[in-house]
Amino acid sequence: MASAGLVRGTLAAVTVVVLAAGPEFLRPSQLYLVSLWAVTAIAAMGLNLTLGYAGQISMAQGAFVGIGAYTVALLMQAGLGFFPAFLAAGVLCFAVGWLLGYPALRVQHHYLAFVTLAFTTLVYLLLRNEQWLTNGVYGISGIQRPTALGFAFGTAARFYYFCLGIMALFLGAMWWMIRSPWGRAFMVLRENPVRALSLGVDTRRYTLLAFAIGSAVGGFAGGLFAPLVQFLEPNSFSLGYSLSLLLMVIVGGAGYLFGPLVGAAVAILLPDFLRFTEGYYLLLYAAAVMVLMAFCPQGLIGLSERWQANRRARLAAGGER
Amino acid sequence: MKYLVKPLFAAAIALSPISAVAQSTVYIPNLAELSGAGAVSGTNWRDGIILAVEEINAKGGILGRKLDVPHVDTQSEASIARAQIQKMIDNKPYVILGPVFSGSVLPSMELSKAAEIPQIMGGEAAAITQRGNPYIFRTAFGQQVSMPKIANYMRDGVKAKSVAVVWVNNDFGKGGRDAFVAEMTKRNIKVVADVSTESGQVDFASDVVKVKNSPAEAIFVYTNEEESARFLREARKQGIKVPLIGETTLLGQKVIELAGEAANGVKGHVGLTADAPVPALQAFGEKFKKRFGYANDHNGIKGYTAVYVIKHVTEKIGKFDSKAFAAALHGMTITPAQEPGILMEATWDKNGDIDRQSFLGEVVGGKQKIVEILPKAGL
Amino acid sequence: MSAFIQLVVSGLATGAIYALVAVGFALLWQTSQTINFAQGEFVMVPAFFVLVAIKYWGFGYWPAIAVGFAISALLLGAAFKGLVVEPMLRHGVLPLVISTVALAILMKEAVKDFYSSQAQQFPAIVEGTDLDFLGAVVSTQSIAVIVVAIGAVALLNWFLSSTLTGRAMQATAQNRNVARILGIDVERMILYTFLINGLLTALASFLISPIYLAKFTNGETLGLAAFVAAIVGGFNQVRGAVLGGLILGILDNLAAAYVSAQYRAAVPLVVLVAVILWRPQGILGRVEERSV
């Protein structure tokens, strides 16, 4: 199937070129939207690690994005540069994820969902109520965009490249991780936890690791969210956000490298191009998700793979004749 | 890798040309909370705008150009509001209407300021007009104006020495609560119970228990519509005897409808209302009800007058010039004689704050009754 | 003291509703491994069926309630099973969870777009008169809610344990394959469970909407409460779900009054998380057997 590989390569190259040329033909609002897509896709990638590879339902990814975003905003207000603040956001979320997951993963499945749900509620209330720290319901505004080596990413176009660049970095890291021994251990966990155990994989430790790394990636996404939106308020990180990230991962295809990118595109970019659905988009989106789940729970990527496999089978059958 | 088609497809559509705004119309987009927590306010605001736009367009528009007013949903979320207003600005609007939630106004106004486009919105948080933004205009009192009026009423009308405050814990409620408590301190009135409630809360038993057990001589209730109604019902049930005081919302049509008898006896300050003894406001209320099948609240009036402000200012400057518009509206007073659609005389100061008459009212027999007209605050 | 009684009685009324909703939630989990994240919307929507029947079809109160029950059983029971749950059972738990999350959005948006975004008054079964009870004021509405809800759960419990059909349903819930071998019509038993859930959520809807008003967002809190109550109760236990609901209702009120109003939403959750970590099978639950 050399031709399929060629097609993939060409598509990938074209996508990269189109995204790279974005500022040439996209309007500022569309640049913002694509940047938001990149940031959301990173958050979804983190959740994909927890959900798609380690098989755990987390309803806390939105909360980790929130923690990351506030960490960056507050540290930058305190005079720290963007990059140390960004790093701190990821490290903090890794630590919090570890601490949350440690007890929660004693009890799995719907209990982890419950514990993460409680966590998300608590984080939202902390962000809202602890006004001395987070400025509460009034929110934080005027967050600066980063400067690197004397180069300011202030304009929409420059920050667009910045977001896409970081997203590409994370995509690469994910690619590397799922091919590493860690990633393979994660996957065994999802496919067959009992077998994993019998193979001597410390299931709890690896699940915990997947959850903590996924949370850290959520924190990094938050670290980009803050300078992108330049305004933070607690409402953005309530339970609804975690649920919509969960939907994105599943819709795109949980356990596929590119799943989160597709899922985030459907949730963030598509409404902008389906303007005629104005007001009914959410309704249609929900209905589409239900249909997708009924026919192809592997998500859109699973759907396209299945379609390709079918076509290949048909071609092969035709070739034999 | 078929899935890579997706972003490609997206990019291809993005290439398609912007729908050119025809010269015969003027683009005045409206950004509102059409879904989510702010849906009641946002829908009222939008419908007020629709009514005004229909009237103006039926009479030939402004300076011969029809108004093109698309309504865009913020889903009551700040990040979406920010994205949507950027999209509007790309299309070079003349003026932007909305949003209503202060939490969505604050991030979006930075963008309209940078683009030098006037934004006439419904937010009431004090902070909005305290940032020296020359392009932001209110359609209702900021909390820094309405709260002193309530505070005066507490001192002079209710003659309370100690009060309880029940507020909804969002930017609207918290902002009002902070301003109210500050005004109380200035007047040496003690706040003896400070009760935070949730947006969407249904059970108010514990909140009523708290204020009931406090020595408060009056209770100030500052929550959204449904929550106000639920609180009033629980308060009546537990037999609260001290006066229940509110600001605009608590005496609003929706709360009276939902709370039923429990609303009777509620008193307070009303910024804007279709029940005011002002014929223009009452006529507007009837028109609104006829067109949309429900009774408007103050947000309907805010939206309606916002459009007429655009009409009046534009006709005065004689051209569609965003910068000139903003400059002209600062310090301007519009009277119903000059522009009937303004409904009540209103003045904008250099910060974009609005000043107009307001009312003291009371709910009697399931109806809002205005007992006193308060003069302009004189900003 | 009277304040404490007030809080407990109010909490009981709210808790009784949570219990009703949680029972249905637990039943669905037992018989078909369905975690229904739209359960709250299942309580929100029936009130609108009734409002439509009254407003557009000109029905009186009781006929409208009957219509409400019928539509709920049909849509939230049978159609939910046939169109949403059934096609997804073979895919496992997660896709179904996601699908019910989407269903919740769908129902909310549909009510908002096609009925109203504003809260609606809803007629009450019982006139609200206030009674004095040990210094606390209790409305007859709250008493009616508690009585009807507890009565419904008791009736359900009796049905499940004392009738042939009920016992067949329980057998199905415990082990589908054994039930099938015993000659039980498993498919029908599962359908009954869904119908019962539809009726229970409709009942909850008609009980609370007069007090809380009917609004498209009402399901958000209720659905979470049902989920939490069911987990606390043990997830596979009807009695546990009842207990979980009542505890949550009371805890909610006490937390708001005595711990922190600003953190009222989190206090019960944090307490319950602690309970779960200490007793993962829930307060009354048994350890679930795994068939791996």
Side-chain angles (χ1 to χ4, degrees):
Chain A
M1 284 284 111
S3 68
L6 198 69
V7 170
R8 286 177 192 201
T10 320
L11 272 177
V14 171
T15 307
V16 168
V17 169
V18 168
L19 284 177
E24 295 301 315
F25 60 86
L26 291 175
R27 291 180 283 153
S29 62
Q30 291 168 326
L31 286 177
Y32 173 82
L33 221 54
V34 177
S35 310
L36 185 64
W37 165 72
V39 171
T40 313
I42 296 174
M45 275 182 222
L47 182 58
N48 193 26
L49 198 64
T50 313
L51 179 80
Y53 294 106
Q56 299 291 329
I57 303 178
S58 163
M59 299 204 184
Q61 192 68 357
F64 285 113
V65 177
I67 294 175
Y70 272 88
T71 305
V72 165
L74 292 174
L75 288 179
M76 283 177 78
Q77 267 184 355
L80 213 63
F82 171 79
F83 290 97
F86 184 65
L87 198 66
V91 171
L92 179 66
C93 285
F94 183 87
V96 174
W98 187 278
L99 289 176
L100 176 70
Y102 194 76
L105 286 169
R106 276 180 29 168
V107 287
Q108 292 198 348
H109 296 299
H110 38 266
Y111 296 124
L112 183 78
F114 172 51
V115 172
T116 48
L117 184 150
F119 175 75
T120 301
T121 310
L122 188 63
V123 167
Y124 163 72
L125 289 176
L126 281 167
L127 293 180
R128 188 193 68 180
N129 296 343
E130 302 309 315
Q131 196 172 337
W132 58 275
L133 181 68
T134 64
N135 206 23
V137 291
Y138 300 121
I140 300 177
S141 53
I143 301 158
Q144 293 299 309
R145 287 186 171 167
T147 308
L149 309 168
F151 186 79
F153 289 98
T155 64
R158 285 178 179 180
F159 199 65
Y160 164 92
Y161 285 127
F162 187 73
C163 289
L164 285 179
I166 302 257
M167 185 189 80
L169 273 179
F170 274 97
L171 198 62
M174 283 288 159
W175 181 85
W176 170 79
M177 199 185 313
I178 54 180
R179 266 154 195 78
S180 73
W182 280 5
R184 281 200 292 272
F186 291 161
M187 269 189 277
V188 177
L189 280 182
R190 181 187 53 164
E191 299 306 333
N192 195 337
V194 176
R195 180 155 171 269
L197 203 60
S198 68
L199 284 176
V201 177
D202 181 349
T203 48
R204 195 168 148 209
R205 203 170 137 247
Y206 273 97
T207 317
L208 185 54
L209 200 61
F211 182 69
I213 296 176
S215 305
V217 174
F220 283 120
L224 280 180
F225 184 91
L228 173 67
V229 182
Q230 297 181 297
F231 178 80
L232 294 182
E233 56 147 6
N235 268 329
S236 312
F237 308 108
S238 59
L239 185 63
Y241 184 50
S242 286
L243 285 181
S244 74
L245 283 172
L246 200 59
L247 281 188
M248 284 179 217
V249 172
I250 301 279
V251 166
Y256 293 98
L257 183 62
F258 287 93
L261 271 61
V262 176
V266 172
I268 291 180
L269 297 181
L270 211 53
D272 198 48
F273 304 115
L274 299 177
R275 245 170 277 175
F276 57 89
T277 63
E278 195 103 31
Y280 297 101
Y281 183 78
L282 215 50
L283 196 80
L284 297 172
Y285 176 63
V289 169
M290 291 175 66
V291 172
L292 185 69
M293 285 302 103
F295 294 102
C296 189
Q298 294 81 30
L300 289 171
I301 293 194
L303 196 67
S304 94
E305 278 196 350
R306 193 197 285 177
W307 183 71
Q308 272 186 324
N310 280 348
R311 205 182 53 160
R312 228 174 280 148
R314 241 179 298 130
L315 280 179
E320 274 167 25
R321 222 170 282 150
Chain B
M1 270 195 198
K2 274 286 177 294
Y3 37 88
L4 282 178
V5 173
K6 208 109 234 152
L8 258 183
F9 167 74
I13 296 195
L15 273 167
S16 63
I18 310 155
S19 61
V21 183
Q23 264 306 306
S24 60
T25 63
V26 56
Y27 177 58
I28 305 173
N30 170 34
L31 184 62
E33 289 73 8
L34 302 181
S35 61
V40 172
S41 316
T43 314
N44 253 289
W45 164 266
R46 178 197 62 191
D47 289 346
I49 288 174
I50 290 177
L51 198 57
V53 169
E54 284 174 354
E55 287 173 9
I56 292 172
N57 279 347
K59 288 182 187 156
I62 300 174
L63 299 180
R65 281 164 71 172
K66 294 258 169 83
L67 309 185
D68 171 25
V69 184
H71 304 277
V72 178
D73 187 10
T74 68
Q75 297 170 29
S76 308
E77 279 185 33
S79 60
I80 295 180
R82 191 194 183 284
Q84 297 289 16
I85 205 162
Q86 180 70 64
K87 204 171 359 169
M88 293 173 171
I89 290 170
D90 288 349
N91 285 329
K92 309 233 173 312
Y94 172 45
V95 177
I96 292 171
L97 293 165
V100 180
F101 266 25
S102 304
S104 294
V105 172
L106 288 168
S108 65
M109 62 189 258
E110 301 297 330
L111 295 172
S112 58
K113 179 186 171 191
E116 302 184 321
I117 291 164
Q119 186 178 357
I120 307 181
M121 51 85 218
E124 297 178 8
I128 294 172
T129 49
Q130 289 166 352
R131 298 187 176 179
N133 183 332
Y135 290 94
I136 199 83
F137 297 95
R138 287 190 199 276
T139 50
F141 292 137
Q143 283 162 342
Q144 81 279 17
V145 177
S146 55
M147 287 306 156
K149 295 191 179 200
I150 275 287
N152 287 340
Y153 180 63
M154 280 286 185
R155 184 188 57 195
D156 309 329
V158 187
K159 297 194 168 42
K161 296 272 176 295
S162 60
V163 296
V165 52
V166 177
W167 47 284
V168 56
N169 205 329
N170 56 24
D171 60 311
F172 161 76
K174 185 77 187 343
R177 178 250 171 222
D178 289 353
F180 177 78
V181 170
E183 294 297 330
M184 288 292 107
T185 315
K186 269 190 221 162
R187 287 165 181 76
N188 281 322
I189 301 175
K190 257 192 272 173
V191 177
V192 288
D194 187 3
V195 182
S196 145
T197 67
E198 296 294 323
S199 164
Q201 185 177 326
V202 287
D203 188 347
F204 282 88
S206 62
D207 313 283
V208 172
V209 162
K210 269 190 199 162
V211 293
K212 197 179 166 188
N213 287 345
S214 77
E217 293 166 20
I219 301 165
F220 178 55
V221 184
Y222 199 65
T223 61
N224 298 114
E225 284 87 356
E226 295 110 40
E227 292 82 355
S228 295
R230 293 179 188 128
F231 180 86
L232 290 178
R233 286 176 168 206
E234 184 68 29
R236 291 298 178 224
K237 188 178 111 189
Q238 292 195 27
I240 294 257
K241 295 285 184 295
V242 297
L244 294 163
I245 310 299
E247 162 31 60
T248 309
T249 316
L250 194 70
L251 290 86
Q253 189 53 45
K254 190 78 196 166
V255 174
I256 296 174
E257 178 197 325
L258 294 175
E261 279 182 19
N264 288 338
V266 166
K267 295 174 184 169
H269 174 249
V270 183
L272 277 172
T273 166
D275 294 321
V278 176
L281 282 175
Q282 289 171 347
F284 166 77
E286 274 162 37
K287 251 191 317 198
F288 191 97
K289 183 145 199 184
K290 207 168 139 207
R291 172 69 175 80
F292 300 107
Y294 69 96
N296 70 283
D297 67 9
H298 57 291
N299 285 306
I301 305 176
K302 281 151 74 174
Y304 183 81
T305 51
V307 182
Y308 275 101
V309 169
I310 299 176
K311 175 170 183 277
H312 181 78
V313 175
T314 309
E315 285 172 355
K316 192 138 197 185
I317 57 179
K319 56 185 173 178
F320 292 97
D321 180 336
S322 298
K323 271 173 105 165
F325 181 100
L329 188 50
H330 286 295
M332 183 184 271
T333 296
I334 308 177
T335 65
Q338 297 167 325
E339 177 51 70
I342 203 75
L343 303 178
M344 283 172 75
E345 181 182 311
T347 306
W348 282 264
D349 73 357
K350 62 180 190 333
N351 298 322
D353 271 315
I354 190 174
D355 192 10
R356 54 157 91 89
Q357 287 180 337
S358 60
F359 313 93
L360 288 181
E362 192 176 337
V363 180
V364 183
K367 274 224 146 37
Q368 187 189 83
K369 201 178 120 207
I370 297 303
V371 292
E372 193 184 334
I373 298 181
L374 298 181
K376 284 167 111 178
L379 297 172
Chain C
M1 191 59 202
S2 71
F4 183 76
I5 294 173
Q6 184 78 54
L7 292 171
V8 170
V9 174
S10 294
L12 271 180
T14 316
I17 297 294
Y18 292 165
L20 265 189
V21 189
V23 165
F25 194 94
L27 277 180
L28 290 192
W29 168 256
Q30 277 188 342
T31 45
S32 64
Q33 314 289 293
T34 306
I35 301 180
N36 183 14
F37 269 98
Q39 186 80 350
E41 278 65 31
F42 277 34
V43 181
M44 177 272 292
V45 149
F48 286 93
F49 295 156
V50 171
L51 286 177
V52 167
I54 292 176
K55 205 170 151 193
Y56 295 103
W57 304 339
F59 279 46
Y61 177 74
W62 288 109
I65 291 284
V67 167
F69 273 120
I71 302 180
S72 302
L74 206 67
L75 287 183
L76 307 181
F80 176 56
K81 172 179 181 282
L83 297 177
V84 180
V85 176
E86 211 111 279
M88 248 163 287
L89 271 182
R90 63 199 162 91
H91 299 318
V93 176
L94 184 61
L96 187 51
V97 167
I98 297 298
S99 195
T100 59
V101 170
L103 179 64
I105 298 175
L106 185 81
M107 291 169 79
K108 261 192 303 203
E109 289 292 305
V111 169
K112 191 198 83 197
D113 290 344
F114 302 121
Y115 197 93
S116 173
S117 60
Q118 314 215 357
Q120 309 288 321
Q121 266 208 317
F122 190 86
I125 312 177
V126 194
E127 258 326 291
T129 344
D130 298 331
L131 306 173
D132 195 73
F133 176 75
L134 299 175
V137 187
V138 188
S139 117
T140 43
Q141 278 188 349
S142 306
I143 296 176
V145 166
I146 297 176
V147 170
V148 174
I150 302 286
V153 171
L155 190 70
L156 179 70
N157 215 13
W158 170 81
F159 173 76
L160 287 180
S161 57
S162 305
T163 65
L164 205 58
T165 318
R167 296 171 85 142
M169 284 174 67
Q170 283 204 310
T172 308
Q174 270 160 19
N175 193 324
R176 194 177 295 191
N177 293 331
V178 174
R180 201 165 274 137
I181 293 166
L182 288 173
I184 292 171
D185 187 345
V186 169
E187 278 311 303
R188 175 173 297 181
M189 294 307 133
I190 295 178
L191 177 65
Y192 286 163
T193 314
F194 278 84
L195 292 180
I196 288 175
N197 182 50
L199 293 174
L200 284 177
T201 51
L203 180 64
S205 183
F206 305 150
L207 286 175
I208 54 147
S209 298
I211 308 175
Y212 295 161
L213 311 167
K215 197 189 177 194
F216 73 100
T217 49
N218 278 3
E220 291 165 8
T221 337
L222 280 166
L224 280 187
F227 177 63
V228 172
I231 284 204
V232 173
F235 228 71
N236 49 8
Q237 282 278 317
V238 168
R239 267 171 299 166
V242 174
L243 193 65
L246 295 177
I247 290 178
L248 187 65
I250 296 172
L251 208 54
D252 220 11
N253 266 346
L254 294 182
Y258 298 121
V259 184
S260 160
Q262 295 218 50
Y263 283 102
R264 69 192 304 159
V267 173
L269 288 177
V270 170
V271 171
L272 297 177
V273 163
V275 170
I276 288 301
L277 293 178
W278 164 64
R279 239 186 107 78
Q281 70 273 37
I283 296 174
L284 289 183
R286 297 160 306 212
V287 179
E288 257 175 83
E289 290 125 45
R290 283 260 180 74
S291 50
V292 187

